Amino acid sequence: MLYATATLLGGAFVLTLTFYFLFVAAKVMLLSTFPLSPILVAVGSTLVATVLSGLIFADAIRVRRDDMSFLPGWLLREYISIGPRLILEGWPQVRRVRRFAAMDLETCAGVLTYLSGKAVPGSRHEVRRRFPDVDWPRLTDELKLFSGVIFFRPDGLRVSLTTPLRLELRALLTLNQSAEIPEAGPEPAPVEPPHKLSPAEILGVHPTASLAQIKNAYRTRIKECHPDRFTGMDEQSRSLAEECTKSLNAAYEFLTTEARGQNQT
């Protein structure tokens, strides 16, 4: 919340400065061009500064930041767009914090604890059988706030945790002597072991995902298995992280090769 508030306030401050500079520039131009009364000059300068500030804000939303085709123009756009970009960066964070504040912490904590004790994805049926009162649509929206929670398939009926998040939760539960990982209930049907998950499920993408989507998912997942995150854990945890990395690399190679072949055809 502190980061979001500071970003919004900083953006508003910079945008106010930009508005003031535009107001002064417009006032000077009007005074030097038209013999108007001070009131009309002030009103006209305010309108010009408001319109230009709105155009700057719209430009910050529309234009990509890495567009450096014309360097002077890019530098000018980056300078005058600092305020709008800070506001656009901070507002989603405020909404995220508000969603966290309205979260059903007890239910989410219970579901995350349950999933941390499973090595395979859990289905909606299993989760609802374990937590009968859970509101599945609301639960999915809240769990998506956590970067380590993966929903498989377009319908999102299977959910799992990435290996790093699962290990971190297990470590936290181990430190808390009063918390115990609940045992998984009886399975209605045998579940495939992790090594039989499809490459798309390992990366958490749709089977028909594009090459760009595959690359983005791979970059996100591989960061979560970086060895530096497991330096303070036991040997088993580090081995699981290495196994996760190998699975991600194999899935990425398979999916990218398949996607390139489809593009060529």
Side-chain angles (χ1 to χ4, degrees):
M1 187 62 182
L2 180 62
Y3 167 78
T5 303
T7 304
L8 282 177
L9 292 178
F13 176 74
V14 175
L15 189 60
T16 302
L17 287 179
T18 303
F19 178 87
Y20 176 74
F21 289 139
L22 293 173
F23 173 82
V24 172
K27 188 173 184 179
V28 171
M29 292 182 62
L30 289 176
L31 286 174
S32 61
T33 306
F34 304 101
L36 301 175
S37 64
I39 296 179
L40 291 178
V41 170
V43 172
S45 301
T46 302
L47 290 176
V48 171
T50 302
V51 172
L52 291 178
S53 298
L55 292 176
I56 291 172
F57 208 104
D59 182 75
I61 298 175
R62 182 181 61 87
V63 179
R64 296 177 55 188
R65 294 200 61 180
D66 58 348
D67 182 13
M68 297 180 61
S69 56
F70 180 61
L71 186 58
W74 176 80
L75 291 174
L76 178 63
R77 178 182 290 119
E78 285 294 296
Y79 177 76
I80 64 177
S81 299
I82 293 176
R85 292 194 191 281
L86 286 174
I87 294 175
L88 293 173
E89 174 68 22
W91 180 245
Q93 301 301 325
V94 171
R95 294 180 58 189
R96 184 180 177 89
V97 171
R98 293 179 62 184
R99 291 179 63 188
F100 268 113
M103 179 182 296
D104 186 352
L105 295 177
E106 183 177 354
T107 301
C108 287
V111 173
L112 289 174
T113 302
Y114 169 70
L115 293 175
S116 68
K118 293 176 63 66
V120 293
S123 66
R124 180 179 65 174
H125 175 73
E126 296 168 10
V127 174
R128 297 189 69 175
R129 180 164 49 84
R130 185 75 179 182
F131 303 91
D133 299 330
V134 70
D135 183 353
W136 181 257
R138 177 183 177 183
L139 177 66
T140 55
D141 289 339
E142 293 178 347
L143 290 182
K144 287 178 181 178
L145 294 174
F146 300 93
S147 58
V149 180
I150 306 173
F151 287 89
F152 297 103
R153 300 176 181 176
D155 50 18
L157 297 183
R158 296 176 64 195
V159 58
S160 183
L161 306 180
T162 60
T163 300
L165 179 59
R166 182 181 296 112
L167 295 177
E168 290 179 7
L169 288 176
R170 289 180 179 180
L172 290 174
L173 291 171
T174 302
L175 292 176
N176 186 0
Q177 299 298 326
S178 62
E180 297 181 357
I181 301 177
E183 297 293 335
E187 304 291 342
V191 182
E192 293 181 347
H195 66 272
K196 288 189 178 181
L197 291 176
S198 68
E201 289 179 328
I202 292 175
L203 286 184
V205 298
H206 192 273
T208 59
S210 65
L211 187 60
Q213 291 173 331
I214 294 171
K215 290 182 178 180
N216 290 335
Y218 173 76
R219 283 194 290 265
T220 301
R221 299 283 183 263
I222 203 68
K223 289 179 183 178
E224 297 170 348
C225 296
H226 196 280
D228 292 345
R229 300 188 61 178
F230 302 91
T231 53
M233 294 189 179
D234 53 75
E235 183 65 27
Q236 182 181 4
S237 298
R238 291 194 295 270
S239 299
L240 287 174
E242 293 176 2
E243 181 181 350
C244 177
T245 301
K246 293 178 182 179
S247 300
L248 289 172
N249 288 333
Y252 174 74
E253 182 177 356
F254 175 83
L255 292 176
T256 52
T257 302
E258 190 177 61
R260 290 192 181 99
Q262 291 178 354
N263 291 336
Q264 292 177 357
T265 58

